[in-house]
Amino acid sequence: MASFSIIGPGAIGTLVGAYLLESGQEVVFIGRRGGRAERLEREGIRVTGLRGEISRNARVVYDSKAGADADFVLVAVKSYDTAAVMAGFASVAWENARFVSLQNGIGNAETIARTVRPERVLIASLTFGAYIDEDGTVHHAGEGDALVGGLKESSFADAERLAGLFQRAGIAVRAEKDIRPVLYTKLAVNCAINPLTALLQVPNGMLQGSDSISAMMKDAVREVVRVADACNISLEFQHVLDIVREVAARTAANRSSMLKDVLEGRRTEIDAICGEVSRLGRENGIDTPVNTSLYRLVKALEETRSGRLARFPAKESGRSEP
Ligand code: KPL
């Protein structure tokens, strides 16, 4: 048996936590007072969807130190919260713990590695479709797979151990020596799916079947492949595009995390997704017009939230309002 601490009880963190608990692992959620963690502690974990129903009590702590002796600390907070969350661990010498970023976007593992030794940082790329409804139930809406690797290749043995534990929890996973191609492929998935679903306010599956959307998704993926190439990460365009389309089809019923953020009036992770592609493009002299435009449009969406007329129908349907 292994012990897991999960920071960030959102859809993915809670879903992975539930599957680990079901497989007999020890799981504790580290949360903030006043946040979703309190509800999780009060009402327990409820999961529904592809693998049936799960209902379990959740162990929640509100002090980082209380989860300090876990084998693995899964970091499932929004990318822009990583630095603040890790600051809470700065004074804790967690010699055993391996920190695993389960987050969207790039740059998160490097942020974690400013607090803990880089050899102890792992990255898991998950392509599940999951969201939390108004009642706090997590919906596993799309099957996905997972790949894990170390920020440093020397951490491969730890990645293999984590992969074994995930497999026992029914999560299809493989350990990779070099996780960077996987990370940039996931980046392409998020660049092509998340902003478009957030801007158009549609579930992932609705991206299929429109020529203009397909053209934008294709261009967004091509730019990620070019930027990756400039970073010495070799990706095959058609292969990555096929993966993007497959994820959109497999998670057709899912509302992307960015769409959920927009609907619930939260900041999105666009900076770590299209924003990073745009930044790396500028640094390497590569044009990224689609990712840069998607970045600006989603930023504009965040900035114009208070004047949006469409929020009135959203309120009628019972969604939480900013
Ligand atoms: O990662 C996702 C997200 O919503 O953030 C995908 C895989 C696109 C599933 O919705």
Side-chain angles (χ1 to χ4, degrees):
M1 193 175 74
S3 54
F4 288 82
S5 292
I6 301 182
I7 315 169
I12 291 292
T14 311
L15 187 68
V16 170
Y19 290 153
L20 287 168
L21 270 171
E22 287 281 287
S23 71
Q25 310 304 328
E26 200 179 291
V27 175
V28 57
F29 291 89
I30 303 176
R32 263 184 304 110
R33 284 269 173 220
R36 190 181 127 69
E38 276 192 355
R39 186 167 184 188
L40 201 63
E41 184 177 34
R42 217 174 36 246
E43 298 176 6
I45 302 170
R46 285 188 310 275
V47 172
T48 186
L50 296 179
R51 300 197 200 157
E53 314 282 317
I54 298 175
S55 180
R56 313 243 348 181
N57 288 333
R59 216 182 117 215
V60 178
V61 296
Y62 298 94
D63 174 3
S64 309
K65 293 185 193 92
D69 54 0
D71 295 309
F72 294 97
V73 180
L74 307 185
V75 182
V77 294
K78 295 285 184 190
S79 51
Y80 49 78
D81 280 334
T82 313
V85 154
M86 290 309 296
F89 299 127
S91 61
V92 189
W94 289 8
E95 278 311 319
N96 283 330
R98 300 295 180 259
F99 280 70
V100 190
S101 165
L102 301 187
Q103 301 155 287
N104 278 336
I106 50 177
N108 300 307
E110 288 78 0
T111 304
I112 295 171
R114 278 188 225 128
T115 305
V116 298
R117 281 206 321 272
E119 295 74 25
R120 289 202 269 135
V121 180
L122 303 175
I123 301 163
S125 159
L126 308 177
T127 55
F128 296 132
Y131 65 90
I132 303 180
D133 68 18
E134 289 81 1
D135 299 331
T137 302
V138 178
H139 291 249
H140 184 171
E143 254 330 335
D145 49 22
L147 290 143
V148 298
L151 180 60
K152 299 278 170 210
E153 284 190 22
S154 58
S155 313
F156 186 60
D158 290 329
E160 280 189 308
R161 179 166 179 235
L162 180 65
L165 293 161
F166 273 9
Q167 275 159 10
R168 247 184 273 165
I171 299 170
V173 66
R174 209 175 62 234
E176 290 281 332
K177 276 224 164 79
D178 181 6
I179 193 75
R180 293 174 315 149
V182 172
L183 211 57
Y184 277 74
T185 302
K186 174 79 194 302
L187 180 65
V189 167
N190 289 136
C191 286
I193 296 179
N194 293 25
L196 285 167
T197 52
L199 290 162
L200 300 169
Q201 311 222 327
V202 293
N204 297 355
M206 282 285 281
L207 296 183
Q208 293 168 310
S210 149
D211 289 346
S212 34
I213 296 175
S214 288
M216 285 196 77
M217 289 173 79
K218 210 166 164 175
D219 288 347
V221 170
R222 203 185 308 278
E223 290 174 10
V224 174
V225 171
R226 287 194 183 133
V227 161
D229 191 52
C231 302
N232 295 320
I233 300 161
S234 166
L235 298 178
E236 213 258 299
F237 167 67
Q238 191 55 49
H239 177 64
V240 178
L241 186 62
D242 289 346
I243 291 176
V244 169
R245 289 181 174 150
E246 195 191 307
V247 172
R250 268 198 328 225
T251 62
N254 196 51
R255 295 162 212 174
S256 78
S257 53
M258 197 170 286
L259 171 58
K260 287 289 284 176
D261 288 341
V262 167
L263 291 174
E264 286 166 23
R266 283 190 301 262
R267 181 179 167 185
T268 73
E269 296 186 286
I270 197 69
D271 290 279
I273 301 175
C274 300
E276 276 296 291
V277 176
S278 185
R279 184 186 67 77
L280 287 168
R282 266 195 317 278
E283 261 179 38
N284 292 286
I286 294 163
D287 284 340
T288 59
V290 172
N291 276 283
T292 302
S293 299
L294 289 171
Y295 171 74
R296 289 180 181 153
L297 281 166
V298 173
K299 279 283 171 199
L301 199 60
E302 290 176 0
E303 286 157 11
T304 54
R305 183 160 46 93
S306 61
R308 181 142 307 107
L309 301 174
R311 72 200 163 106
F312 297 118
K315 195 169 195 172
E316 276 158 26
S317 69
R319 286 187 193 116
S320 54
E321 282 293 292

